[in-house]
Amino acid sequence: MITKKLLILAGDGIGPEIMTQVQRVICWMAKKRNITFDVNEGLIGGASYDKFGHPLTDETLQDAFDADAVLLGSVGGYKWDNLSFDLRPEQGLLRLRKNLELFANLRPAVVFDALVDASSLKTEIVKGLDIMIVRELTGGIYFGKPRGIEILSTGERRGVNTQVYTTGEIIRIADVAFDLAQKRGNKVHSIEKANVMESGVLWREEVQKLHDTKYSAVELYHMYADNCAMQLVRNPKQFDVIVTDNLFGDILSDCAAMLTGSLGMLPSASLGSLNAKGKRHAVYEPVHGSAPDIANKDIANPIATLLSFSMMLRYSFNMSVEADLLEQSIKNILDADLRTSDIMQLGKIKVSTTMMGESLISEMNKLTS
Ligand code: IPM
Ligand code: MG
């Protein structure tokens, strides 16, 4: 029997209802595979603010430290839009990332064959697409100082954020990207704006240096971020692994997500460094947001979160058999034409969030019977 400590932070909006579908899979694993997760649940984002007056309490942060892995839903919503900046739901997420030092954010954009027509791009452009975006997650303009809004002597206001990277931060994220590329298509595109930003110049130089000293067998290309956005919709299959900073990674991964048909399909893993015990902190979450406009309607797509759970099985727990099974089951129910409304198309069968979860369990039963 395997027991892993899992912290679930369902968050806001559609977070709780999609997390319910993951809970089904967790129960299934316990019943059918004898894999018991020791599940602890906590609050984050607006839900935490409403109960405790803060988007991530010290207690919940400690629980995250103690867990083998954290599974997160989504944070944010109109309801909390007018809170002061440091109390906004998003700050809970950023605090979690920063404190657990989850510097490596892996965002795979894979197009399922069943969904090629759901993409806004032509079939031949996206069919078979498999990109891995490696986004730096604990540095850059998200956390750089100085930051803030100040009032000038003229009475004007001035908003400041700072893009800043050290060589160490660049090298450790590039190392993750090269290492992953070796296990995939052996190609890395490093993305910055070295034409206008010094931090981009440094980024480019350090990535090149690491390549030349440690990964010279991996193909490396440098590309400006604006060009990358354009190339992602022009010819996305030219990419294998994309490595980039926090802000460009945020933007480019939403773009890549849409290539797959819906933001509701994209999972992510945020990983820290390996510690002395060979363990690393890890948070798994969908790339999509809390979608407050469709919350509590049982129509949200749970697949991004289910795939995030699958990434957890793979990256944190080395359970590739179970991860394969879960991913195959998702593929099969898509092949059986089941669709939530975000990926609905003519002739397909529209299902609710709940039905998607239930069908997945039936499929897992079928595949293992
Ligand atoms: C993401 C989100 C977050 C980010 C928000 C919710 C803070 O957009 O994970 O991509 O900007 O990193
Ligand atoms: Mg984002």
Side-chain angles (χ1 to χ4, degrees), residues 314-363:
R314 229 180 262 292
Y315 289 97
S316 281
F317 303 142
N318 264 319
M319 296 180 191
S320 56
V321 175
E322 284 72 21
D324 287 345
L325 172 69
L326 177 54
E327 285 166 23
Q328 189 60 50
S329 306
I330 291 171
K331 230 174 249 166
N332 290 1
I333 57 175
L334 290 172
D335 284 339
D337 287 349
L338 302 195
R339 301 284 188 272
T340 41
S341 52
D342 57 313
I343 46 175
M344 182 57 192
Q345 285 175 293
L346 210 65
K348 307 293 178 196
I349 306 156
K350 190 151 151 186
V351 297
S352 63
T353 311
T354 306
M355 276 165 71
M356 201 61 140
E358 286 172 354
S359 309
L360 179 71
I361 295 300
S362 313
E363 189 59 32

Side-chain angles (χ1 to χ4, degrees), residues 64-65 67-70 96-106 134-139 168-169 171-173 175-177 179-180 268-285 311 315-316:
F65 261 107
D68 290 314
V70 179
L96 185 67
R97 289 174 178 171
K98 190 72 178 169
N99 279 272
L100 295 185
E101 289 184 76
L102 307 170
F103 70 93
N105 183 214
L106 314 188
V134 178
R135 169 188 176 192
E136 201 291 325
L137 203 60
T138 49
E169 286 173 314
I171 293 167
R172 70 176 176 177
I173 193 68
D175 196 68
V176 171
D179 184 55
L180 272 169
S268 85
S270 305
L271 309 174
S273 318
L274 277 180
N275 65 19
K277 289 186 204 141
K279 281 177 57 168
R280 60 169 101 240
H281 290 305
V283 172
Y284 298 84
E285 56 177 313
M311 286 186 90
Y315 289 97
S316 281

Side-chain angles (χ1 to χ4, degrees), residues 75 90 93-94 97 107 135 142 250 287:
V75 297
E90 291 79 2
L93 182 57
L94 296 179
R97 289 174 178 171
R107 300 190 156 188
R135 169 188 176 192
Y142 271 57
D250 179 47
V287 169

Side-chain angles (χ1 to χ4, degrees), residues 3 8-9 29 45 49 59 72 84 88 98 113 119 121 159 170 211 218 246 269 288-289 292 315 327 339 363:
T3 302
I8 292 189
L9 304 173
M29 295 276 175
Y49 174 81
E59 290 72 24
L72 204 137
S84 76
R88 290 180 60 120
K98 190 72 178 169
D113 279 345
S119 172
L121 296 190
I170 298 167
H211 170 268
V218 179
N246 205 343
H288 64 68
Y315 289 97
E327 285 166 23
R339 301 284 188 272
E363 189 59 32

Side-chain angles (χ1 to χ4, degrees), residues 138-155:
T138 49
I141 202 163
Y142 271 57
F143 298 98
K145 289 191 179 127
R147 64 183 300 157
I149 300 176
E150 58 184 357
I151 300 176
L152 301 177
S153 55
T154 57

